[in-house]
């Protein structure tokens, strides 16, 4: 699988890939310039979204823009490459190709409409993330993954973006970015770790999938 990744220059171009965020169906340069170092699968930097990036990304998200079944199919097709990147990030995923983890019900969130924020820990499987996307399709999702899963998050969005329309957006960032997102939209927190102090998340669930050795 790593050879496949090299074929499309994913690893060779990783630092440039981690620089951009995904919104409005396109990869865009962030407004923020604040960098954060990541070390897997190789040294690189993400640019941490600030309040301006969060506002711009939320404004780009539209509910009902994609068929959950299309996201499911795209996640399944991407799974071999995602598993390879996850190994490089230090997480061994199962071979299952179905995003069959428990859905996080949108009814747990306040408000009847508007985008959902999603914060995920490093241990959360990309298939679990895809399942949340499917459950929240009616509202749309702005996702901020853990910096330790920045590469696999980029790869997942690279595969889901073409079928998700304006229904999904991705920003990279650290704890400060997570706080900015949680302060701007009803936000799901999915992690095997406790909620950080001062993070006003609405729902917390543990991830489904293997733990880091």
């Amino acid at each position: 699988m790593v050879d496949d990744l090299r074929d499309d220059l994913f690893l060779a171009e990783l630092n440039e890939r981690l620089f951009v965020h995904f919104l409005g169906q396109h990869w865009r340069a962030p407004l923020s310039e604040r960098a954060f170092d990541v070390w897997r699968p190789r040294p690189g930097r993400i640019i941490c979204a600030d309040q301006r990036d969060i506002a711009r990304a939320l404004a780009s998200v539209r509910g009902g823009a994609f068929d959950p079944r299309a996201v499911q199919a795209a996640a399944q097709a991407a799974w071999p490459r995602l598993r390879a990147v996850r190994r490089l990030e230090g997480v061994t995923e199962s071979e299952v190709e179905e995003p069959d983890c428990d859905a996080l019900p949108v009814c747990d969130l306040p408000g009847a409409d508007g985008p959902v924020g999603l914060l995920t820990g490093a241990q959360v499987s990309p298939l679990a993330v895809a399942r949340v996307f499917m459950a929240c399709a009616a509202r749309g999702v702005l996702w901020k993954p853990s910096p330790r899963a920045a590469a696999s998050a980029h790869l997942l969005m690279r595969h889901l973006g073409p079928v998700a329309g304006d229904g999904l957006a991705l920003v990279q960032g650290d704890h400060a970015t997570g706080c900015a997102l949680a302060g701007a939209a009803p936000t799901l927190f999915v992690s095997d770790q406790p909620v950080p102090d001062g993070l006003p998340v609405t729902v917390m669930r543990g991830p489904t999938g293997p733990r880091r050795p």
Side-chain angles (χ1 to χ4, degrees), residues 119 175-184 187 189 194-202:
L119 304 175
H175 175 65
T177 300
C179 287
L181 175 55
T187 298
F189 177 81
V195 178
D197 292 341
L199 191 64
V201 294
T202 305

Side-chain angles (χ1 to χ4, degrees), residues 2-3 19 50 64-66 77 83 92 107 119 154 156 167 170 183 190 195 200:
V2 175
D3 288 341
F19 176 83
D50 61 16
F66 64 88
R83 286 185 68 225
T92 301
C107 60
L119 304 175
H154 179 100
L156 179 64
L170 166 77
V190 187
V195 178

Side-chain angles (χ1 to χ4, degrees), residues 188-208:
L188 299 167
F189 177 81
V190 187
S191 178
D192 61 345
Q193 301 297 315
V195 178
D197 292 341
L199 191 64
V201 294
T202 305
V203 175
M204 183 182 73
R205 295 284 180 87
T208 299

